[in-house]
Amino acid sequence: MRHFLGSITDVATMEPVAALTFDDGPHAAYTPRLLDILESHQARATFFMLGQFAIQYPELLRRIAQAGHAIGNHSWDHASFPFITSRQRRAQIRACARAIAPYGQRLFRPPYGEQNLASRLDTLWMRHKVILFNCEVGDWFDPDPHRLAEALVKKVHPGSIVCLHDALRSHPELRPRVRHQSHADREAMLTAVDMFLTRVGSQLRFITIPELLQHGCPQRQHWYRVTPLGPRSSAAPLPSS
Ligand SMILES: [Zn+2]
């Protein structure tokens, strides 16, 4: 059961490879610029998209897929899965899968990184691999590209799965506060990724999640978490993974 219910956080590998992942897109302005940056560093990435936006940009999806990046499922509209019913969860995954077809793969990243046992069982039922991460640097709230790039240099190692955002969305009913705490402006993230790849590009090769899984042993965790909306949310920004 451990093997089936664990969620993948990273990969144990001796090879100098890691995976950048970008959530909540695609975005009409930021995603194409990110693609240019990745291309200039010959880096590939994985995009965990929201179905409601993916369906609006078929040309962008084609460009992403043709550049060799992978596309995964981040639900239809970023609802937090522990807060909705099993039927709604499966409908969310199905609707996003349709929106990212024919390029999408059966990879799922839970909105906000939030998951409980029931939602994990639904992703298993939908035959999607749950891909979490072992590296994030707060790109959803930190406006300083130098600090973000520095944090990436420190935290990214061979086998890392890095969580970043090419857009930022929150579900208006379930997470009204996140909207005010998050930086929808992605300029700092774009600059930071460019700086980071300039610094580490010669030491690490950035590949897609399906490729990374072929380069070592996937590490799994029983990842069940629901972010409290109480005092913590006013003290520290909520992750919008
Ligand atoms: Zn997200």
Side-chain angles (χ1 to χ4, degrees):
M1 283 306 273
R2 179 177 176 79
H3 179 74
F4 289 113
L5 290 178
S7 301
I8 296 170
T9 54
D10 60 313
V11 166
T13 180
M14 301 295 284
E15 298 176 56
V17 289
L20 299 175
T21 68
F22 295 92
D23 293 2
D24 293 20
H27 187 282
Y30 295 124
T31 306
R33 289 175 54 199
L34 175 60
L35 291 173
D36 291 342
I37 291 167
L38 293 172
E39 189 183 350
S40 72
H41 294 281
Q42 297 177 320
R44 289 193 296 278
T46 302
F47 291 82
F48 286 100
M49 295 185 177
L50 293 171
Q52 64 173 337
F53 299 111
I55 205 163
Q56 295 175 22
Y57 305 109
E59 284 303 318
L60 194 46
L61 264 67
R62 197 190 333 267
R63 182 183 164 191
I64 290 170
Q66 283 177 351
H69 305 296
I71 296 175
N73 189 317
H74 194 38
S75 82
W76 173 257
D77 67 359
H78 217 269
S80 176
F81 273 31
F83 290 96
I84 59 177
T85 66
S86 178
R87 182 188 293 263
Q88 289 170 324
R89 289 192 285 263
R90 295 176 192 197
Q92 288 262 345
I93 292 174
R94 211 174 285 121
C96 181
R98 273 198 291 266
I100 60 179
Y103 312 108
Q105 308 206 29
R106 288 175 177 267
L107 306 170
F108 179 70
R109 171 158 295 159
Y112 309 99
E114 295 184 345
Q115 178 170 255
N116 60 13
L117 181 57
S119 71
R120 179 66 188 89
L121 288 169
D122 281 323
T123 50
L124 192 63
W125 175 261
M126 298 296 290
R127 293 186 291 130
H128 277 60
K129 277 194 178 102
V130 175
I131 307 293
L132 274 308
F133 48 87
N134 69 340
C135 178
E136 50 84 10
V137 294
D139 76 301
W140 62 90
F141 69 91
D142 193 336
D144 183 344
H146 296 275
R147 192 163 50 212
L148 288 172
E150 196 62 41
L152 286 167
V153 170
K154 278 200 189 112
K155 290 186 175 184
V156 179
H157 302 291
S160 290
I161 297 178
V162 187
C163 175
L164 294 160
H165 300 80
D166 56 333
L168 276 174
R169 326 275 187 188
S170 67
H171 195 283
E173 288 167 31
L174 295 169
R175 285 289 189 278
R177 293 184 189 190
V178 175
R179 187 178 299 277
H180 305 294
Q181 293 174 342
S182 299
H183 287 248
D185 184 330
R186 301 284 74 216
E187 294 298 337
M189 182 282 297
L190 290 172
T191 305
V193 167
D194 197 20
M195 292 166 64
F196 167 67
L197 290 174
T198 301
R199 282 179 62 179
V200 307
S202 60
Q203 300 146 45
L204 276 177
R205 196 157 54 88
F206 291 92
I207 57 181
T208 65
I209 291 289
E211 290 167 338
L212 185 68
L213 298 179
Q214 301 301 313
H215 279 264
C217 181
Q219 304 295 293
R220 296 167 191 273
Q221 261 183 38
H222 285 282
W223 180 303
Y224 303 124
R225 76 173 55 157
V226 178
T227 308
L229 285 175
R232 193 187 150 220
S233 65
S234 58
L238 293 169
S240 171
S241 52

